Amino acid sequence: MTSVPAQSPPSDTPAGQARRGGTISIRIGLLALVVVCTLPATLVAGLAVYETYALRKTRIYETTVLAARSLAADLDQEVEGIGSGLRVLASSTDLVRADLASFHQRAIDALKYQDIDRYVLTDTRGNEVLDTSEPYPGVLPPPVRLPDLPQVSSGGSHPLVARLGPPREGRGLTIIVGVPVLIDGEARYLLFADLGSDRLSALMTRHALGEGWVAALLDRDATILGRTRDEARFVGQRAVSSLADAVRREREGTLQSLTKEGIPVLTAFSRLATTQWTVAVGAPAAAFTTDLYRAMAWVAGGGLLAILFGLGLAYQLARRIEQAVGNLVEPALALGAGHRVSVAPPHFKETAAVADAIEHAAGTLEHARQLAYYDPLTQLSNRVLFAELARRAIAAAQRSRASLALVAVDLDHFKTVNDVHGHGTGDTVLQIAARRMADAVRHSDVVARYGGDEFMVLLDGAGPAAAETVANSLVAVLSEPYPGVSPQVGASAGIAVFPHSGTSLEELISRADAALYAAKSRGRNQAVLDPEAQDRAPERSLF
């Protein structure tokens, strides 16, 4: 017969697991306190180092921006100088008179004053008219359709720049700068000047950049036109994608990127005013990250030593406290399980107070448990304990698709015993009846005094047939004679079965009471199964 709910160790119950999951040990708490006390200083030192790093990074960005602007200004000046020479030639009266032979000689003379390779004159459709690298009239090459020719033809105050495909005479890529030749307000010819990309690279190299820095000149398609390092290797290639995307979106800006060699750099770029070219300057990230890593290593090392020293001291203190508190754990667990409590002599004043409280609570808890769960007369479970156990059993039956039964039992003619023999004899009869019922059922079943001479029995796992058998045996043992008591005391029983009679405790008790009333109506001293159990089975079954 089960008469008390199973007591689990506090740490194994859901509430105990929740509390344990949300708490920490004294040792961990003290160690964490050391970390909390020493970590802020370490973090402040690390923050100071990082602020220094950020400041230096900002300064390097500013320096790269200034370098990019300076290079862009010099290149603008260079291109503008070439454009000015082109505009002077384009305004020659030789072109107005269509004296191309004279203009050819004039263009050859102009080459002495500008560091360019040649002048080329074309019509507005791209057909070459003359070339200073060839005698006039000479044999001209087939027409060349330049990609930006329509924009050149439309005129404008600035020269237009395009990139030709093949290099000339080993000088790398050939860059052309062109202006329209206007006669009577109409573009009749296009005049171009060719120069090698090495000239642009040489111009950028004259700028004093830091060690490991690199500068590059990009056209509007982000193709490298000139470079201060490894020019022969990379001129003509496309810039890295991150830089190419940035120069397409903005005229000026900064970003972190990689060089063509794969070196991380802080990059600043600025677009020229005269063309769609862009100058990009990259400062190696290692120039300042190395110092950052070194400083952070010193900060981390010093902070770690301080933390380790504090942790050692805290660990020793924590061990002594844990030992003192640990002596109270087993008594506390025994108290929760309802066992006898024995507390070892404490070593600390605080733990001594806790030990006294545990012993006092043990006595109080034992008394409270008896009052809360047991009937003081029969020592059977009371209504509170029975309801708790029954609800647990119903929930388990729902999960496992099992059945159970409730038997409501009432003593027949018990009121006459009290009237004839007095309440003392009536109490004795109740005690004897309780022992007989407890002996008649399994240990896993629950017998409870529900009030007066009413009892309730929980038969876990019992179906209708098994429940009727047990109920009849209970009626039989309760109807046996009681010493010195007359008239004869008997018993009636009503049976309700889960899930046929109901799926909640309240429904089952109600149906068991109804069956008990039917048993009394039929003459007492018998057990009656809930008449609706089988009829309601298809309707109430959960399975």
Side-chain angles (χ1 to χ4, degrees), residues 475-493:
V475 171
V477 297
L478 292 176
S479 299
E480 294 178 359
Y482 294 83
V485 174
S486 63
Q488 179 70 31
V489 175
S492 299

Side-chain angles (χ1 to χ4, degrees), residues 44 82 134 179 244 371 387:
V44 169
I82 296 173
E134 302 288 342
V179 296
L371 295 178

